[in-house]
């Protein structure tokens, strides 16, 4: 069973597609926040995306380019504008296939099946963590927020990965130092403080204010 994300603002069509795909024994989610599609993507971590071109706030081309910054997941565009220019643009923006509206659900099912077989016979899904729109790619240790990539050192990445993995939970300084010890021979407490402060500064400069909370005497927390 694979996870399929439908990004389509026509509710009736989205539900029809959802029913058809669920009949193929896949897990399906329909996006409902078209201002924060990347957040839905990161939370659900789909194996395939069905993406409409005409959407509220930002079009499908925009969201395809945003997804491509963090994942190589296959994307199939959906559009009533099936002229050659739209098809070529969809492919150039990172799409893998194109289905014209009105959608033939049987053809769509066949294309989804073929895409999943080709993709996951050869590759694996790229894991990511998301919080407040910031997406941490665990494969290439990159952090992306509002389309901008934030460069992290290996220590900063390990700290952020540990905190984001434990969202809503206080992570002790001892736990973080143990994570850093796994990469370095020895880490002093002052080294952890310096790395956390430097990470906070980078997040603040990117627009992520108060991303990491200090719990005095306990550790750090991402709420």
């Amino acid at each position: 069973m694979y996870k399929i994300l439908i990004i389509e603002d026509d509710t009736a069509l989205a539900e029809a597609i959802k029913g058809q795909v669920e009949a193929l024994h896949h897990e399906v989610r329909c996006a409902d926040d078209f201002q924060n599609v990347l957040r839905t993507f990161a939370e659900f971590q789909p194996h395939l995306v069905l993406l409409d071109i005409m959407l509220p706030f930002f079009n499908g081309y925009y969201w395809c380019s945003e997804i491509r910054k963090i994942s190589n997941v296959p994307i199939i565009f959906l559009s009533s504008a099936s002229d050659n220019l739209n098809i070529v643009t969809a492919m150039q923006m990172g799409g893998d296939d194109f289905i014209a509206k009105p959608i033939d659900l049987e053809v769509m099912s066949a294309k989804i099946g073929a895409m999943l077989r080709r993709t996951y016979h050869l590759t694996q899904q790229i894991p990511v963590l998301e919080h407040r729109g910031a997406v941490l790619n665990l494969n290439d240790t990159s952090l992306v927020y509002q389309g901008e990539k934030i460069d992290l050192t290996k220590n900063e990445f390990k700290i952020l990965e540990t905190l984001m993995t434990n969202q809503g939970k206080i992570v002790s300084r001892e736990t973080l130092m143990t994570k850093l010890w796994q990469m370095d021979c020895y880490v002093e407490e002052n080294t952890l403080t310096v790395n956390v402060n430097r990470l906070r500064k980078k997040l603040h400069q990117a627009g992520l204010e108060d991303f990491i909370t200090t719990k005095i005497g306990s550790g750090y927390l991402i709420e």
Side-chain angles (χ1 to χ4, degrees):
M1 181 176 72
Y2 292 95
K3 294 195 290 186
I4 313 296
L5 177 62
I6 301 169
I7 307 172
E8 166 63 65
D9 64 321
D10 182 331
T11 304
L13 178 56
E15 287 299 319
I17 294 173
K18 183 174 184 287
Q20 179 75 11
V21 177
E22 285 180 335
L24 301 173
H25 307 293
H26 298 307
E27 182 181 351
V28 184
R29 179 180 295 184
C30 295
D32 56 10
D33 184 353
F34 296 101
Q35 285 185 285
N36 294 290
V37 167
L38 203 61
R39 177 177 299 175
T40 303
F41 176 88
E43 291 173 350
F44 188 49
Q45 295 198 32
H47 296 93
L48 182 143
V49 176
L50 297 173
L51 177 60
D52 188 24
I53 291 179
M54 299 303 296
L55 294 168
F57 305 108
F58 304 97
N59 64 27
Y61 299 139
Y62 171 83
W63 288 119
C64 181
S65 66
E66 290 298 292
I67 291 171
R68 280 289 168 261
K69 292 176 182 177
I70 60 172
S71 175
N72 291 321
V73 65
I75 298 173
I76 300 178
F77 275 97
L78 312 173
S79 179
S80 56
S82 57
D83 57 273
N84 287 342
L85 178 59
N86 274 282
I87 295 173
V88 170
T89 302
M91 299 301 105
Q92 290 177 336
M93 294 301 293
D96 297 282
D97 206 341
F98 191 102
I99 299 177
K101 297 179 181 179
I103 293 173
D104 184 313
L105 295 178
E106 293 299 327
V107 171
M108 180 196 70
S109 297
K111 287 199 170 193
I112 289 173
M115 185 68 68
L116 290 171
R117 286 193 300 273
R118 287 199 303 270
T119 303
Y120 295 101
H121 177 69
L122 299 173
T123 62
Q124 295 296 320
Q125 182 184 12
I126 297 176
V128 297
L129 296 172
E130 186 276 342
H131 182 65
R132 283 174 48 186
V135 180
L136 187 67
N137 187 315
L138 304 186
N139 276 8
D140 68 5
T141 69
S142 66
L143 180 68
V144 176
Y145 179 64
Q146 294 185 344
E148 298 297 323
K149 187 173 181 179
I150 304 167
D151 292 325
L152 303 174
T153 67
K154 64 178 183 178
N155 282 354
E156 291 165 355
F157 168 78
K158 182 55 67 174
I159 291 168
L160 196 55
E161 178 194 18
T162 303
L163 293 175
M164 290 181 73
T165 300
N166 293 278
Q167 286 181 33
K169 301 176 184 177
I170 297 174
V171 179
S172 69
R173 290 178 60 86
E174 290 75 17
T175 297
L176 289 173
M177 290 176 67
T178 299
K179 294 290 185 180
L180 299 184
W181 284 339
Q182 293 173 357
M183 298 184 299
D184 295 310
C185 294
Y186 179 70
V187 176
E188 297 179 345
E189 281 212 35
N190 185 58
T191 303
L192 175 61
T193 301
V194 169
N195 277 273
V196 171
N197 289 340
R198 188 168 54 199
L199 174 58
R200 275 194 169 123
K201 183 177 180 181
K202 288 184 179 181
L203 295 173
H204 178 79
Q205 290 174 338
L208 288 163
E209 300 180 10
D210 302 320
F211 196 78
I212 300 173
T213 301
T214 299
K215 295 296 182 180
I216 298 175
S218 299
Y220 300 98
L221 169 69
I222 286 182
E223 301 183 87

